[in-house]
Amino acid sequence: MKNLFTFVGMALILALSLFLAVITGDYGPWYFAWLVGTTMIVMIAVAGAVMYEKQDAESQDKTGHSH
Amino acid sequence: MDMLINPTVVELSRLQFALTALYHFLFVPLTLGLSFLLATMESVYVITGKPIYKEMTQFWGKLFAINFALGVATGLTMEFEFGTNWSMYSHFVGDIFGTPLAIEGLMAFFMESTFVGIMFFGWDRISAKAHLVVTYLVALGSNLSALWILIANGFMQDPRGGTFDPNTMRLEFSSFVQLIFNEDAQAKFVHTSIAGFVTGSMFVMGISAFYLLTNKRKDIALRSFRIAAVFGVISTIGVVTLGDALGFIDVKAQPMKVAAMEAIWNTDYNTASAPWNLIAFPDKAAGKNLFEIGIPYVLTPLLTHSEDTVIPGIHQLVDEAKPKVVNGIKAMVALKEYNHDHSNVQALATFKQYQADMGYGFLAMQYAPDQDLKKVDASNLASVVDKTAHETVPNVWVEFWAFRIMVALGFIMLAIFAFAAYFSLKNEVEKHPLLLKVALWSIPLPWFACEFGWITAENGRQPWTVYDMLPTFVSASSHSVGYMIFSLIGFVLLYSSFIAAEMYLMFKYARLGPQASHHGHDKAPAGGGMAGQPAFAKPSLAKK
Ligand code: HEM
C-alpha cells in the first residue's frame, strides 16, 4: 500500500512538472529557467556539502582527527 | 487635475519613495537568498543525517529571522505609500497594479508567515522530512512574493495587459496572462531573485570566514563556507548572464533607458564598430559626454547579441518624442473635452486617434501655461514640445554609473566566489587567510550591487511611473510641502532605527556565533542542541 502511495505521489509530481514545463516553457521561459536553475544551484551546493563529508572522513582516516 | 501640481511635492514624494524602497531593499535580497541556503543546509541534514547540519540550519536561521522580521516591517509601509503619496498613480493603474500587490500581500503574510512559524517552532513537533518541506516552502514563499512585486514593477517598465478607459479615466485590466508573462517582469524576477542568492551566499561565506579567522566553531564554519561558496559561484554566473538578458529586453522595451545606461548621445550607424563606453562623464545639459573611453566593436554585440541592430542615441530618441508630444497634447485636450461632456463623440474620436501618445500629453502639462494644455497654441507649441521631449531623458550620469557599479561588482564577486569555491573544494581555505579576509570584507558588496541595480531600473524609467503612459509628475498626491517634509523625516528616523536594530542584532549574534563545540560533531545528540527551542529565542545555541 505504501508503495502504491509513493508511486501515485511521484506520478503526480511528474505530471505537475510536465505541465509546468509545457506551460511555463512556452509562455514563461524565464520562470521556467528559474525553477530549473534554482533546483540545480541547490542540488550542486548539497553535493558540495556531501563531498565535504567524504573528504573529511578520508582525512580523518589519514590523520585521525576531523573538523 | 484642475488643481495645480506642486513640483516640490512631487520631488519630495519621489525622495520619500526612493528612500523607503532603498531601505526596504537592504532586507529583501538576504531573505530571498538565505532562505534557499537554509533549505540547502537542511537538505544535507536530511540526506546525511548528520546533526551538525541541523545546528547550522538553526544558527543561520536565527540571523534569517532577524532580517525577515525587519524586511516585512519595512515592506508593509511601502504598500500604503502608494495610496497616501501616489494617489493619482493609484487611481490610474490601481486596477492592474493592485492585483499583484494584493497577491503579494497574501503570499507574504499568509504563506510565508505561517511557514516561517512552523520553520522556527516546529523542529521538535514535525518529522525531519516534513520540516524540510516547510523550509522549502518558506524559501519559495519569499521568492514568490518578490515575483508578484516584480510583476507589478514589470508593468511599470513595460505596460502590458491593460487598456485605458476614457470614461473611468483608469487603466483597466485586459489580460492577466499578459501581465504575469510580461517578458520584462520575468527577466526582472530571475535577475533579482538570483541577486538575492548572491547576497545570501556572500553573507554566509563572509561570516564563516570570520569564524575561521578567529578559530570559532570551525566544524560549522568550514561546512557553511563550502555550501555558500558553491551556491555563490553558480548564482553569480547566473546573475551576470541574466543581467545581460535583462539589458537585451530593455533594448526593445526602453530604448531611452539603455541609451542613458550606456551614455550614447548620437546614433552610430556603423553598428559593428560602435564603441562601448567603459568610462564616461555624461553631461545632460550639454547633451554629450565630457570625457569618455570607448572600446570599439563591443557595444552592438553586447547589447543586442547581433552585429547590425542600430542602437538609437539620446538625441535621436528626443527627436522621435517630439511628434508624440504634439499628438499627446491633442489626445489630452480631447480627453478633457470628452470628460466635460460624454456625448461629445467628436472629442472621443480625436482622443482615440491619438490615444497611443496620451502619456506625452500628460508629460507636456508641466510646461503648459498654468499646466493647462488648452493654453498651448501656435505661439508656445514649439517651446512646450521641445522642453517636453527633453524631459524624456533620465539623469544620464546617475544611470550610467549606477549600472557600471552594479556590473563591476558582479564581476568582482564572481572572482571572489570562484577562488573561494576552488579552495574550499580542495579543502584548503584555511591556508589562505587573505581569501578569508577578502570574503569577510566583501559582505557589503552584493547589497551595493542590489541597490545600484534598483537605481538603474528606477532612475532609468524616469520621467515615467508607467513607461510612456503616466509621468511621475502627475502621479503624486496633492499633499502640502510641510506634510511631506514631516513624513519624510519620520520615515528616515524610523527606518534608520530599523537598520540600526538590524545591524546591532546581526553583529551581536554573528559575533557570538554558534557556541563552541567541545565534542566532535558526530557526538552531538540526535535532534541537535537546539531541539525544542525556537531558533532565535536564545543568544547562542544551547550547550551540547
Ligand atoms: C554583468 C552583470 C550585471 C548586468 C549586465 C546587470 C544588468 C541589469 C540591468 C540591465 C538592470 C536594469 C533592469 C531594468 O531596466 O529594469 C539590472 C537591475 C538590477 N540588478 Fe543587475 N546586472 C548585473 C549584475 C548584478 C549583480 C551582481 C546584482 C546583485 C547581486 C544585481 C542586482 C540587480 C538588481 C537588484 C536590480 C534591480 C531589479 C531589476 O530591475 O531587475 N545585478 N541589472
Side-chain angles (χ1 to χ4, degrees):
Chain A
M1 200 59 181
K2 193 170 168 248
N3 280 349
L4 181 69
F5 276 130
T6 314
F7 180 78
V8 172
M10 291 293 177
L12 282 177
I13 292 175
L14 185 72
L16 184 72
S17 312
L18 278 174
F19 174 77
L20 276 177
V22 171
I23 299 292
T24 57
D26 265 4
Y27 296 100
W30 296 106
Y31 294 151
F32 185 61
W34 182 84
L35 284 173
V36 176
T38 303
T39 313
M40 189 193 76
I41 296 173
V42 169
M43 274 168 37
I44 295 177
V46 168
V50 172
M51 181 179 158
Y52 178 92
E53 295 308 324
K54 184 149 186 302
Q55 290 169 325
D56 195 43
E58 276 168 12
S59 80
Q60 202 175 353
D61 284 347
K62 270 190 224 146
T63 63
H65 90 100
S66 92
H67 278 304
Chain B
M1 192 120 354
D2 285 323
M3 211 166 70
L4 280 192
I5 298 169
N6 183 344
T8 314
V9 172
V10 178
E11 286 308 303
L12 285 169
S13 303
R14 285 185 62 198
L15 186 63
Q16 187 170 117
F17 200 87
L19 279 177
T20 43
L22 289 174
Y23 269 122
H24 176 57
F25 211 60
L26 288 172
F27 303 104
V28 176
L30 187 60
T31 300
L32 299 182
L34 196 51
S35 57
F36 268 108
L37 277 154
L38 292 180
T40 306
M41 292 171 190
E42 202 177 331
S43 300
V44 185
Y45 168 59
V46 170
I47 291 169
T48 64
K50 285 185 184 279
I52 193 164
Y53 286 97
K54 180 173 178 181
E55 198 187 341
M56 264 164 71
T57 313
Q58 288 174 330
F59 168 66
W60 294 110
K62 189 164 53 182
L63 302 185
F64 174 83
I66 300 167
N67 185 66
F68 182 82
L70 286 162
V72 173
T74 48
L76 249 178
T77 38
M78 293 200 61
E79 306 227 358
F80 294 111
E81 219 174 316
F82 291 113
T84 54
N85 291 2
W86 298 98
S87 53
M88 270 308 293
Y89 167 82
S90 297
H91 171 82
F92 192 78
V93 290
D95 195 32
I96 299 165
F97 193 79
T99 310
L101 216 66
I103 303 177
E104 193 264 344
L106 290 178
M107 289 248 168
F109 297 120
F110 293 167
M111 182 168 171
E112 281 177 82
S113 310
T114 310
F115 289 118
V116 154
I118 305 176
M119 183 167 105
F120 289 125
F121 300 105
W123 281 105
D124 232 16
R125 295 179 175 83
I126 50 176
S127 72
K129 278 187 188 154
H131 193 277
L132 178 64
V133 172
V134 167
T135 308
Y136 271 105
L137 287 175
V138 169
L140 201 64
S142 356
N143 279 269
L144 280 184
S145 43
L147 166 74
W148 289 106
I149 208 74
L150 289 165
I151 285 177
N153 187 261
F155 178 82
M156 298 167 78
Q157 308 281 355
D158 185 9
R160 277 160 203 270
T163 25
F164 180 75
D165 181 347
N167 293 305
T168 57
M169 291 289 286
R170 286 157 55 91
L171 210 56
E172 288 170 2
F173 239 138
S174 53
S175 163
F176 190 61
V177 173
Q178 271 188 23
L179 179 76
I180 56 174
F181 289 116
N182 181 348
E183 226 185 5
D184 204 281
Q186 291 193 44
K188 251 173 191 306
F189 167 66
V190 287
H191 187 62
T192 309
S193 162
I194 308 289
F197 293 6
V198 174
T199 311
S201 308
M202 196 56 102
F203 178 80
V204 172
M205 192 170 89
I207 296 177
S208 304
F210 170 70
Y211 296 148
L212 291 172
L213 286 166
T214 52
N215 260 326
K216 218 180 242 171
R217 283 305 297 270
K218 278 194 185 170
D219 53 347
I220 283 201
L222 282 169
R223 287 174 174 83
S224 301
F225 193 99
R226 164 74 60 93
I227 290 179
V230 174
F231 205 98
V233 75
I234 313 173
S235 303
T236 319
I237 295 171
V239 96
V240 170
T241 40
L242 293 166
D244 170 67
L246 191 52
F248 180 76
I249 289 169
D250 275 348
V251 172
K252 288 182 277 176
Q254 297 178 301
M256 183 60 95
K257 182 191 266 183
V258 171
M261 233 147 67
E262 302 296 351
I264 308 168
W265 295 94
N266 299 303
T267 310
D268 191 339
Y269 289 96
N270 297 320
T271 52
S273 66
W276 172 74
N277 287 328
L278 178 67
I279 290 177
F281 295 129
D283 182 343
K284 191 173 159 183
K288 62 177 186 179
N289 295 330
L290 300 180
F291 171 79
E292 62 186 25
I293 300 179
I295 308 174
Y297 295 99
V298 174
L299 182 75
T300 313
L302 186 68
L303 261 66
T304 67
H305 303 178
S306 80
E307 286 283 313
D308 50 13
T309 312
V310 177
I311 301 169
I314 293 172
H315 293 311
Q316 180 186 330
L317 292 167
V318 167
D319 287 341
E320 285 172 7
K322 286 177 183 166
K324 294 184 189 173
V325 179
V326 175
N327 291 344
I329 293 173
K330 288 180 192 157
M332 287 307 294
V333 170
L335 182 63
K336 208 167 179 185
E337 281 168 9
Y338 177 70
N339 256 296
H340 280 307
D341 173 13
H342 274 213
S343 63
N344 189 341
V345 281
Q346 179 56 44
L348 183 63
T350 311
F351 170 71
K352 291 247 156 93
Q353 189 184 349
Y354 299 113
Q355 183 176 356
D357 295 323
M358 180 179 81
Y360 290 83
F362 269 132
L363 194 63
M365 272 172 58
Q366 56 193 306
Y367 298 112
D370 302 328
Q371 296 177 359
D372 185 354
L373 290 173
K374 276 194 176 155
K375 294 187 181 163
V376 176
D377 54 28
S379 69
N380 54 17
L381 180 68
S383 125
V384 170
V385 168
D386 190 61
K387 283 182 191 154
T388 310
H390 280 94
E391 179 70 24
T392 59
V393 185
N395 185 325
V396 186
W397 203 93
V398 169
E399 190 65 8
F400 180 86
W401 283 105
F403 181 63
R404 288 290 171 292
I405 295 172
M406 169 182 61
V407 171
L409 287 173
F411 285 108
I412 292 170
M413 289 191 284
L414 182 59
I416 297 170
F417 277 122
F419 279 113
Y422 176 74
F423 289 117
S424 173
L425 286 171
K426 285 180 74 182
N427 245 351
E428 284 180 3
V429 274
E430 283 173 287
K431 292 186 197 157
H432 299 277
L434 180 65
L435 176 69
L436 296 177
K437 280 184 196 149
V438 169
L440 172 62
W441 291 106
S442 299
I443 293 179
L445 298 188
W447 272 273
F448 280 110
C450 287
E451 296 282 330
F452 281 112
W454 267 114
I455 294 174
T456 309
E458 303 303 289
N459 172 70
R461 197 194 59 223
Q462 298 306 320
W464 309 99
T465 43
V466 181
Y467 200 74
D468 263 6
M469 273 198 171
L470 188 73
T472 313
F473 181 71
V474 298
S475 303
S477 305
S478 49
H479 291 306
S480 68
V481 173
Y483 171 84
M484 284 311 300
I485 292 176
F486 171 75
S487 57
L488 183 64
I489 293 173
F491 266 122
V492 169
L493 291 178
L494 184 70
Y495 277 38
S496 298
S497 66
F498 282 160
I499 302 280
E502 160 118 348
M503 299 287 269
Y504 170 75
L505 291 170
M506 282 289 187
F507 272 109
K508 179 174 165 181
Y509 286 102
R511 268 223 191 100
L512 224 58
Q515 201 158 39
S517 155
H518 302 297
H519 323 280
H521 62 266
D522 287 337
K523 293 186 200 121
M530 285 276 291
Q533 296 166 25
F536 51 89
K538 290 182 115 197
S540 63
L541 292 167
K543 270 210 169 76
K544 288 198 276 182

